[in-house]
Amino acid sequence: MIDFANLEAWLVTGSQHLYGPETLQKVEEHSTAIARALATSLQIPVKVVPKPVMTNSDSIHQLCLDANTSKNCVGLITWMHTFSPARMWIAGLRSLDRPMLHLHTQFNEQLPWSTIDMDFMNLNQAAHGDREFGFIGARMRLKRKVIVGFWQDPVVHAELGAWLRAACAWHDAQQLEVARLGDNMRNVAVTEGNKVNAEMTLGYSVKGYGVGDLVKRVQQVTDAEVSRLTAEYDESYTVAESLRPGGTRRQSMCEAARIELGLRAFLEDTGSHAFTDTFEDLHGLKQLPGIAVQRLMADGYGFGAEGDWKTSALVRAVKVMSHGLEGGASFMEDYTYHLTNGGQVLGAHMLEVCPSIAEGRPSAEVHPLSIGGKEDPVRLVFTAAQGNAINASVVDMGNRFRLIVNQVNLLRVEHPLPKLPVARAVWVPEPNLKVSATAWILAGGAHHTALSRALTAEHLENFAQMAGMECLLINRDTRIRDFAKELQWNDMYYHLAHGL
Ligand code: MN
C-alpha cells in the first residue's frame, strides 16, 4: 500500500561546454559516483539516478519536461560541479513541477594543498558555480531546498533522506484520493475547508460517498472471511474474555471484522488511500468503525474522524513519509489535560488511534460508546510508547493552508488507567504546555492532528515547502511575542505572495 521500490530522485549535474570534453567526462564520473553513494545510503529511501551532465538550455528544458511526466521521479537533486551559466536553466526550471533540491557539495572533501593547481580549481568550483545557480532560484522565486555539505557526510544523507521522504509523500498526494463517508460533524469549523483549493494546491482529491455504498460492501462479506479475520484478531491482540470464541460478546467481534472487510474492500474498489467517517452518519452500520479504522491506519491509510478530510490527507502524508522507519504514526486529538508539573496532554479519540504507536501488545475490547446510538464498538486499547514525536495540524486560512507542527515528548504513563476504554498517548509539548497551547491556539491549530514518532519537524517543513504551505513550528525556541509577530508577517506575506 506504500511502496518506495520504484520511486527515484534524479541527480542533475550542471556544467557548460567551455571546459572541453575531458573536464565534462570527469564531471560525469563524479556525478555518477555521488549518485551511487547516495543510492546505497541507508538513509536515502529511494533510488538516486544520475542524469547526463547538463550543458545547454534545450537539454535542461527536456529533462524537466521528462521529470514532470515521469511516474517515478519524486524530485530533482541539482548540483553545479563547475560553473553553469544559469540563464540556460530558466526555461527548464520555469516548467519544472517536481520538487527541487540544491545539493551544495564538492567531489573533493579536502583541498590538496601541496598539489593544487588551476586544473583542480577549474574542476572543483561548486563554491561559486552553485552560487550562480542559487541566484536563478532566488530570482525566479523557486520553491527549493538547499543542503550544504560533503556528499559522504551522514548528516547530509540524513537531510537528503528527510527531504526525499517528504518528496515521496508529495508524489503520493498528487494522486491521492480521500474517500469521505458523511459530512463534517455538526457545525465544526476547523475541520471544514475548501476542497477545490486543496486539489489545486495540495494535489489530493476529496470524494464524497454515501455510507450506503460502504454498507453494501459490508453486506457482501462472507462468514468465512469474517472467521478468518477474527482468528487473526485472536492471534494478534490480547482479546477481552467476552470477545473470545464462545464469549458473550463474540458477535460484536464478528461484526467489527465484517465492517473492516467491507471498509477495506470499499477503499480498494474506489482507489482511496485515505478516508473519513462520522458517528453521525452510520445508517446501516451496526457499529462505528473502531478496530477497522485502527488496523487500516496501521496498514498506511490516512484517516480523519468526523469528516475531517484535511487531517486524513495529513495522516496519509505522514504515513508515507515514515514508511520503513521505526515509531509509527496516528490520527490524534488533544483530549484532556493534566495541569500540574507544567502540564501534560492526554491525547486519544473515541476509538481511532493507530496501533503503530503502541507500547506492547494492544488489547481488543468492547465498550459502550455514549454517542452515535449504535451497538458497542470493538476497539484496540493501548498506550503509546514514550519518546520524541511531532504533532501536526493543517487548517484552511481561506487564502492558504497552514501547517502547524509541535515537537512533543511522549511520556511513559506511570498510572494504570483501568477505566479508560480507548487508546491513548500522554505527552509534554515543547517548550511547555503553556507556550505550546498559546501558540497553537493563536495559530488556529485544530484539535485533530497527525502524530508521528518516526518523523521530525524537518520532514514536515520540507513537505510544506514543496506544497507552498505556510508552516509554523512550535518547539523549544518558541517565544510567544515572536510567534505572534510571525503570524502577522505571514498574513501579510500570503496576502501579497501571488504578486511576487
Ligand atoms: Mn474528534
Side-chain angles (χ1 to χ4, degrees), residues 305-306 331 333 349 447-448:
E306 294 122 18
F331 174 70
E333 178 169 307
H349 206 259
H447 52 292
H448 284 172

Side-chain angles (χ1 to χ4, degrees), residues 178-208:
V178 183
R180 197 155 173 266
L181 294 156
D183 202 345
N184 288 57
M185 181 179 78
R186 303 180 186 217
N187 297 314
V188 175
V190 75
T191 56
E192 283 287 358
N194 188 318
K195 298 193 280 289
V196 175
N197 278 354
E199 191 158 348
M200 284 169 60
T201 61
L202 305 177
Y204 63 79
S205 161
V206 183
K207 297 194 171 167

Side-chain angles (χ1 to χ4, degrees), residues 187-253:
N187 297 314
V188 175
V190 75
T191 56
E192 283 287 358
N194 188 318
K195 298 193 280 289
V196 175
N197 278 354
E199 191 158 348
M200 284 169 60
T201 61
L202 305 177
Y204 63 79
S205 161
V206 183
K207 297 194 171 167
Y209 296 91
V211 72
D213 295 340
L214 168 61
V215 170
K216 199 168 80 188
R217 226 43 197 85
V218 171
Q219 286 167 347
Q220 288 167 354
V221 173
T222 66
D223 291 344
E225 290 171 310
V226 168
S227 297
R228 272 198 296 276
L229 187 55
T230 48
E232 190 183 324
Y233 291 173
D234 292 338
E235 262 184 41
S236 310
Y237 312 113
T238 304
V239 177
E241 206 169 318
S242 65
L243 293 176
R244 290 179 197 158
T248 54
R249 310 294 298 275
R250 183 67 174 179
Q251 197 46 44
S252 296
M253 177 91 114

Side-chain angles (χ1 to χ4, degrees), residues 89 99 118 139 152 158 223 229 269 305 317 341 357 359 408 414 432 440 451 496:
W89 288 84
M118 282 316 290
R139 177 66 180 82
Q152 291 177 2
D223 291 344
L229 187 55
D269 290 350
N341 299 330
I357 65 169
E359 170 92 85
V408 304
E414 305 293 347
N432 52 55
W440 192 275
L451 180 133
L496 298 171

Side-chain angles (χ1 to χ4, degrees), residues 166-479:
C168 290
W170 179 246
H171 188 71
D172 182 75
Q174 304 319 298
Q175 49 218 320
L176 177 64
E177 291 199 10
V178 183
R180 197 155 173 266
L181 294 156
D183 202 345
N184 288 57
M185 181 179 78
R186 303 180 186 217
N187 297 314
V188 175
V190 75
T191 56
E192 283 287 358
N194 188 318
K195 298 193 280 289
V196 175
N197 278 354
E199 191 158 348
M200 284 169 60
T201 61
L202 305 177
Y204 63 79
S205 161
V206 183
K207 297 194 171 167
Y209 296 91
V211 72
D213 295 340
L214 168 61
V215 170
K216 199 168 80 188
R217 226 43 197 85
V218 171
Q219 286 167 347
Q220 288 167 354
V221 173
T222 66
D223 291 344
E225 290 171 310
V226 168
S227 297
R228 272 198 296 276
L229 187 55
T230 48
E232 190 183 324
Y233 291 173
D234 292 338
E235 262 184 41
S236 310
Y237 312 113
T238 304
V239 177
E241 206 169 318
S242 65
L243 293 176
R244 290 179 197 158
T248 54
R249 310 294 298 275
R250 183 67 174 179
Q251 197 46 44
S252 296
M253 177 91 114
C254 293
E255 193 54 40
R258 192 175 295 279
I259 291 172
E260 177 181 332
L261 290 160
L263 188 49
R264 206 173 270 281
F266 168 80
L267 294 171
E268 276 165 18
D269 290 350
T270 57
S272 313
H273 290 162
F275 65 106
T276 72
D277 63 14
T278 168
F279 66 85
E280 288 189 319
D281 192 352
L282 296 173
H283 305 288
L285 287 182
K286 290 186 179 162
Q287 301 173 14
L288 174 65
I291 191 172
V293 169
Q294 293 178 293
R295 285 167 47 86
L296 283 161
M297 260 194 281
D299 286 346
Y301 283 91
F303 174 76
E306 294 122 18
D308 188 350
W309 50 270
K310 296 196 301 298
T311 304
S312 181
L314 181 62
V315 170
R316 168 66 184 181
V318 163
K319 289 281 182 190
V320 174
M321 272 183 256
S322 57
H323 177 61
L325 298 177
E326 291 291 316
S330 180
F331 174 70
M332 187 54 71
E333 178 169 307
D334 294 72
Y335 221 105
T336 193
Y337 288 142
H338 182 62
L339 285 175
T340 57
N341 299 330
Q344 298 169 2
V345 181
L346 190 150
H349 206 259
M350 281 184 293
L351 306 170
E352 311 94 333
V353 176
C354 177
S356 66
I357 65 169
E359 170 92 85
R361 187 177 163 98
S363 57
E365 303 178 16
V366 62
H367 302 277
L369 191 69
S370 54
I371 45 180
K374 292 286 172 177
E375 291 177 12
D376 301 349
V378 176
R379 79 288 305 271
L380 296 174
V381 180
F382 55 85
T383 301
Q386 67 178 348
N388 293 332
I390 47 121
N391 203 27
S393 166
V394 63
V395 295
D396 185 343
M397 294 300 289
N399 61 348
R400 68 197 187 267
F401 291 97
R402 165 180 281 173
L403 182 67
I404 303 150
V405 183
N406 191 187
Q407 190 74 49
V408 304
N409 301 304
L410 291 160
L411 304 178
R412 182 176 296 282
V413 181
E414 305 293 347
H415 309 275
L417 299 159
K419 299 208 162 177
L420 189 63
V422 289
R424 60 271 175 162
V426 176
W427 66 82
V428 176
E430 288 192 3
N432 52 55
L433 177 62
K434 192 175 181 69
V435 172
S436 160
T438 305
W440 192 275
I441 287 169
L442 284 174
H447 52 292
H448 284 172
T449 59
L451 180 133
S452 171
R453 294 179 56 239
L455 302 180
T456 64
E458 187 183 354
H459 293 95
L460 285 176
E461 286 178 311
N462 286 330
F463 184 77
Q465 183 266 323
M466 288 166 198
M469 246 194 296
E470 179 185 9
C471 186
L472 298 167
L473 177 60
I474 303 170
N475 66 6
R476 66 186 60 184
D477 299 325
T478 298
R479 302 282 177 276

Side-chain angles (χ1 to χ4, degrees), residues 4 38 41-46 48 74 77 101 145 147 153-169 320-323 325 455-456 458-459 462 466:
F4 287 176
L38 296 181
S41 166
L42 291 176
Q43 309 216 59
I44 308 275
V46 298
V48 178
V74 300
I77 301 171
L101 182 143
K145 168 89 175 182
I147 293 178
D153 181 354
V155 174
V156 168
H157 289 199
E159 290 174 335
L160 277 165
W163 185 83
L164 287 165
R165 286 182 172 280
C168 290
V320 174
M321 272 183 256
S322 57
H323 177 61
L325 298 177
L455 302 180
T456 64
E458 187 183 354
H459 293 95
N462 286 330
M466 288 166 198

